[in-house]
Amino acid sequence: MVEGALKPIDVAALVPEGGPRHAPKVLLLYGSLRERSYSRLLVQEAERLLRWFGAETRIFDPSGLPLPDDAEPDHPKVAELRELCTWSEAQVWCSPERHGAMTGIMKSQIDWIPLSLGAVRPSQGKVLALMQVSGGSQSFNALNQMRILGRWMRMVTIPNQSSVPKAFLEFDEDGRMKPSALYNRVVDVMEELMKVTYLVRMHDRYLVDRYSERAESAAELSSRVNQRSI
């Protein structure tokens, strides 16, 4: 770290007096089960930064998560993932790129998160940051795919992102990311995630209040109160 360059988040500059200033709740997902998983190492590096910036964090371990639709929603790993998603105010997704795409492990986690759980939409309006690792040259295929998924999940995906090529060269024996321009980008992404989360969660209820759902609710109410018989 360059002394003086890493600065705490100026919460007062983002949130007016009386607004929600509690620690942002951030869920981090990674997409590999290897013993030395570089997507997990990158997520752990991101978690250290987020905690330094003042976030409350949780990392979900995908080991043992069944394939989508191959178990009931009350499966312990599925329930854990869904509870963490509902708990979170922001998320970080990090996948290796395999065969030019995100991994099946990453996609399975996202597929287990429904657009709605009863009256609750567990991902809607939450802030999302994206990262990927590659074994070869730098690529953005997994990032682009996850960005599409973030839109489908009705999340607010920040513009900045991190792609780490030849990830096996970027971490030391202790699993810490080496100082580099690539590491600096990770810092940038986590800093931006924190800032956008403070801004968005102040207005999250209003931001996700949409005409189509209000119109549907009004139609349902009209149908109920105007029915001829009970």
Side-chain angles (χ1 to χ4, degrees), residues 3 6 56 66 98-100 118 126 160-161 164 181 183 187 199 207 218:
E3 187 175 353
L6 185 66
E56 182 181 354
R98 184 172 297 168
H99 300 317
K126 298 184 178 183
N160 214 342
Q161 59 188 21
V164 180
Y183 176 77
V187 180
L199 288 172
L207 289 172

Side-chain angles (χ1 to χ4, degrees), residues 153-205:
M153 301 302 287
R154 300 180 177 181
M155 303 178 79
V156 180
T157 308
I158 67 172
N160 214 342
Q161 59 188 21
S162 168
S163 174
V164 180
K166 297 182 179 179
F168 60 93
L169 298 177
E170 299 301 325
F171 293 85
D172 62 23
E173 293 181 357
D174 296 324
R176 294 301 307 270
M177 194 171 183
K178 301 173 184 177
S180 69
L182 295 170
Y183 176 77
N184 292 347
R185 174 58 67 89
V186 176
V187 180
D188 286 349
V189 173
M190 295 307 113
E191 183 178 36
E192 185 172 302
L193 176 67
M194 290 288 290
K195 291 176 180 178
V196 176
T197 301
Y198 275 112
L199 288 172
V200 168
R201 76 178 185 185
M202 258 194 316
H203 310 288
D204 56 352
R205 291 186 181 180

Side-chain angles (χ1 to χ4, degrees), residues 2-198:
V2 177
E3 187 175 353
L6 185 66
K7 298 181 179 180
I9 303 297
D10 186 354
V11 180
L14 299 170
V15 183
E17 190 69 33
R21 295 187 177 183
H22 63 273
K25 301 173 183 178
V26 186
L27 170 63
L28 299 96
L29 307 179
Y30 61 92
S32 170
L33 298 179
R34 291 179 176 177
E35 182 176 353
R36 186 170 171 83
S37 164
Y38 293 106
S39 61
R40 186 186 72 248
L41 293 180
L42 188 57
V43 154
Q44 290 171 340
E45 204 66 54
E47 181 183 44
R48 294 184 187 98
L49 289 163
L50 288 168
R51 288 185 173 180
W52 189 89
F53 283 126
E56 182 181 354
T57 62
R58 301 285 189 276
I59 296 177
F60 177 72
D61 178 2
S63 180
L65 182 71
L67 290 172
D69 303 325
D70 196 33
E72 296 300 320
D74 60 358
H75 184 284
K77 293 297 292 189
V78 176
E80 178 190 356
L81 175 60
R82 291 184 173 188
E83 287 169 6
L84 286 172
C85 188
T86 301
W87 164 86
S88 70
E89 297 170 322
Q91 295 182 21
V92 177
W93 296 354
C94 180
S95 177
E97 182 166 314
R98 184 172 297 168
H99 300 317
M102 79 179 78
T103 62
I105 295 166
M106 190 74 227
K107 183 64 162 57
S108 290
Q109 293 174 81
I110 300 168
D111 284 347
W112 269 119
I113 301 170
L115 288 176
S116 63
L117 285 169
V120 177
R121 298 188 184 275
S123 60
Q124 178 174 261
K126 298 184 178 183
V127 185
L128 175 64
L130 303 173
M131 304 191 296
Q132 79 163 70
V133 295
S134 302
S137 58
Q138 192 169 47
S139 176
F140 302 92
N141 291 325
L143 287 169
N144 291 337
Q145 288 183 324
M146 290 189 291
R147 194 167 288 276
I148 292 172
L149 284 170
R151 183 172 74 241
W152 275 102
M153 301 302 287
R154 300 180 177 181
M155 303 178 79
V156 180
T157 308
I158 67 172
N160 214 342
Q161 59 188 21
S162 168
S163 174
V164 180
K166 297 182 179 179
F168 60 93
L169 298 177
E170 299 301 325
F171 293 85
D172 62 23
E173 293 181 357
D174 296 324
R176 294 301 307 270
M177 194 171 183
K178 301 173 184 177
S180 69
L182 295 170
Y183 176 77
N184 292 347
R185 174 58 67 89
V186 176
V187 180
D188 286 349
V189 173
M190 295 307 113
E191 183 178 36
E192 185 172 302
L193 176 67
M194 290 288 290
K195 291 176 180 178
V196 176
T197 301
Y198 275 112

